Amino acid sequence: MARRSKAVFSIGMDLGGTKIAAGLCRGGEILKKVVVPTHAAKGFDAVIEAMAGAARAAMGDTDPAQVAGVGIGAAGQIDPRTGAVLYAPNLRWTNAPLGGSLSAALGLPVRVTNDVRAATIAEWKFGAGKGLDNFVNIFLGTGIGSGIVLNGQLCQGATNSAGEIGHICLDPEGPVCGCGHKGCFEAFSSGRGIENEVKRRLQKGAKSLIRDEVGDDLDKVTGHLVGKAAREGDEVALAALAKAGRYLGLALANVHTLLNPDRILLGGGVMALKKFFLPDARAALHRHILPVADRGDDLLGEARFETEAVFLGGAALFA
Ligand SMILES: [Zn+2]
């Protein structure tokens, strides 16, 4: 579909496994935001219907001719040329024609990218990466992902998988990762990695406030409980977070050594506990980085956007 000449707005969408967020945007400004459940278990058509409904609700009375298009950030492997979701485990989708189906439902052009790349675009255009030609945006959530901007361009990679930083190996004998390999960065420093470290310590019989909450049912260990225990000075929680920080610092040093970015931005839900792991991460970063690349505290920054990042970046695909 051709670009619309009168268009001043665009719609950004964040397609997650449990929630869909849609925002009517103008540049970096969010004019209206709508959040609806994904209901992924109902299947592809139901999700498209929910997305179309959310986009229409975000659009409200806006003349569709003034909307340039809909930009989606979705978790999983995306083909940005076709808008297809090649593989999204959280939605149980394989080769799902997301872009084409939503475009047909709404009568608007649709572009799709990976959610972490969308968030990176939001930081680049409107947030903590504004004005930078070389930066890496690392998202520390249940898993770990990143978006890489080099020489003023977003890196895609030969087969579109650039930035899968969660699966760089930091210890070939380390804990098993969701991808099946051992010792991935994500197995140490993601929300799930931290929970698993706490579980291993509890299994070995360590005393902890978390044990008082969950008893012997280690499946009940959550990031929320780990955070609560850390704030109360619990040694198991603090040790698990410090370890996550040391491996985070190692990964940051490797990224800096390889790419020499202006800055690495950190974001995602795990950052709510940053005071318990960032000091260890900084120490490890400076210990492992090449001295010539070490520019002190300027190396690290924090992402500006939290929940809005993905749909703001999606909307910016049409800005
Ligand atoms: Zn992995």
Side-chain angles (χ1 to χ4, degrees):
M1 247 175 265
R3 196 178 170 89
R4 293 152 167 250
S5 55
K6 282 199 296 177
V8 289
F9 305 106
S10 56
I11 293 173
M13 301 195 80
D14 177 353
L15 172 59
T18 56
K19 281 182 298 184
I20 296 163
L24 180 70
C25 301
R26 183 173 48 203
E29 192 185 359
I30 302 163
L31 303 166
K32 189 172 179 191
K33 179 180 167 182
V34 175
V35 180
V36 300
T38 308
H39 292 310
K42 291 186 186 171
F44 178 76
D45 291 345
V47 174
I48 294 295
E49 206 171 298
M51 292 183 78
R56 286 192 199 102
M59 219 158 39
D61 300 334
T62 309
D63 175 4
Q66 291 197 305
V67 177
V70 180
I72 305 166
Q77 295 289 321
I78 312 295
D79 184 341
R81 292 165 306 147
T82 63
V85 176
L86 303 177
Y87 177 57
N90 62 342
L91 297 164
R92 289 175 234 149
W93 286 2
T94 309
N95 294 322
L98 170 60
S101 302
L102 190 64
S103 180
L106 290 170
L108 288 168
V110 172
R111 291 176 188 158
V112 189
T113 191
N114 160 287
D115 55 355
V116 181
R117 282 192 199 156
T120 302
I121 292 168
E123 294 297 336
W124 190 19
K125 303 289 178 196
F126 317 118
K130 200 169 173 182
L132 300 182
D133 282 339
N134 296 283
F135 77 97
V136 180
N137 184 41
I138 299 182
F139 185 88
L140 303 168
T142 310
I144 296 179
S146 79
I148 301 168
V149 172
L150 273 187
N151 301 325
Q153 286 197 315
L154 190 68
C155 282
Q156 313 278 358
T159 59
N160 196 40
S161 74
E164 288 288 358
I165 196 171
H167 304 287
I168 60 171
C169 183
L170 298 180
D171 178 359
E173 302 306 322
V176 176
C177 177
C179 74
H181 293 164
K182 278 187 178 177
C184 294
F185 174 27
E186 181 170 304
F188 290 107
S189 305
S190 67
R192 190 174 292 142
I194 294 165
E195 286 166 24
N196 287 340
E197 177 66 23
V198 165
K199 289 178 191 174
R200 283 191 292 273
R201 286 169 188 260
L202 294 181
Q203 265 163 355
K204 285 183 191 157
K207 286 209 176 89
S208 166
L209 296 170
I210 301 167
R211 168 98 61 201
D212 303 342
E213 301 258 3
V214 305
D216 288 330
D217 188 356
L218 297 185
D219 287 342
K220 288 186 181 163
V221 173
T222 61
H224 174 75
L225 283 181
V226 176
K228 190 172 155 224
R231 287 187 193 95
E232 291 171 27
D234 181 72
E235 281 184 21
V236 166
L238 291 173
L241 286 160
K243 184 173 178 183
R246 290 196 297 277
Y247 282 90
L248 169 61
L250 186 53
L252 295 171
N254 289 343
V255 170
H256 266 292
T257 300
L258 183 67
L259 300 177
N260 186 214
D262 292 310
R263 196 160 299 145
I264 297 178
L265 303 178
L266 299 175
V270 176
M271 285 295 281
L273 300 176
K274 65 183 178 186
K275 73 170 174 176
F276 302 113
F277 65 82
L278 262 193
D280 292 275
R282 281 188 190 280
L285 164 61
H286 294 296
R287 192 159 60 242
H288 292 288
I289 195 171
L290 271 187
V292 69
D294 195 342
R295 287 174 288 112
D297 287 346
D298 277 355
L299 295 177
L300 274 189
E302 285 182 45
R304 172 174 163 195
F305 301 111
E306 292 177 13
T307 52
E308 305 89 4
V310 175
F311 72 77
L312 261 178
L317 294 173
F318 284 92

